[in-house]
Amino acid sequence: MSYEEIFILGWNLNLLMFFINLVIAIRTMNQKSREQLLEENKILTELKMEFDLYYPYRRYETLVTYLIPFTAFFRMSYRIIEMLSFFSKNRGSTLIDYMIYKYKSDIELAKNRLK
């Protein structure tokens, strides 16, 4: 297998993860009403603003992971395993519950590092 084939395979796996994320997001949005989505968006916006204070370059980091072969695939595979583990431990929880948990835990981690 040549380096070119390895890179193409890595980018294809990154693209696969992008589409899996897109399907999960669309499926989650279709299960909720407009009012529920607006309320959840308000909560997540507040957490995201605080998160951006501690991780200002996170958006660029995410973009770069999709450009480097295999990086997004491994990163998102880990996140999906983490999410499934969260759902198995917290029966009846939803994706929004996981997102709130993840934002809060990352914010607390950043706060503890600054101390």
Side-chain angles (χ1 to χ4, degrees):
M1 193 179 258
S2 70
Y3 286 116
E4 182 178 295
E5 291 171 332
I6 293 170
F7 274 67
I8 290 171
L9 177 64
W11 284 318
N12 286 336
L13 288 173
N14 287 353
L15 187 63
L16 172 69
M17 280 302 169
F18 176 78
F19 285 122
I20 288 173
N21 284 334
L22 191 63
V23 167
I24 290 171
I26 291 172
R27 191 175 130 230
T28 301
M29 287 187 326
N30 287 337
Q31 293 175 351
K32 306 231 174 181
S33 69
R34 178 174 162 76
E35 292 78 26
Q36 288 174 320
L37 288 173
L38 288 173
E39 182 180 324
E40 291 171 356
N41 185 41
K42 192 166 105 177
I43 294 167
L44 287 175
T45 301
E46 292 171 7
L47 285 171
K48 176 109 173 69
M49 286 175 24
E50 185 176 358
F51 181 81
D52 286 342
L53 293 174
Y54 296 106
Y55 301 99
Y57 301 111
R58 186 65 160 225
R59 178 179 295 168
Y60 302 116
E61 176 188 327
T62 302
L63 180 63
V64 168
T65 60
Y66 280 102
L67 297 177
I68 299 173
F70 297 105
T71 308
F73 174 74
F74 291 123
R75 180 178 180 213
M76 295 314 302
S77 297
Y78 174 75
R79 292 282 186 214
I80 289 173
I81 291 169
E82 184 181 30
M83 188 178 356
L84 293 174
S85 174
F86 177 81
F87 291 147
S88 70
K89 290 179 182 175
N90 301 296
R91 299 276 183 213
S93 60
T94 61
L95 185 60
I96 188 74
D97 298 326
Y98 171 73
M99 292 172 71
I100 290 170
Y101 160 76
K102 194 65 185 158
Y103 271 130
K104 287 183 178 181
S105 65
D106 286 347
I107 290 168
E108 285 300 316
L109 182 67
K111 285 179 181 178
N112 289 337
R113 270 194 234 154
L114 292 176
K115 289 182 180 180

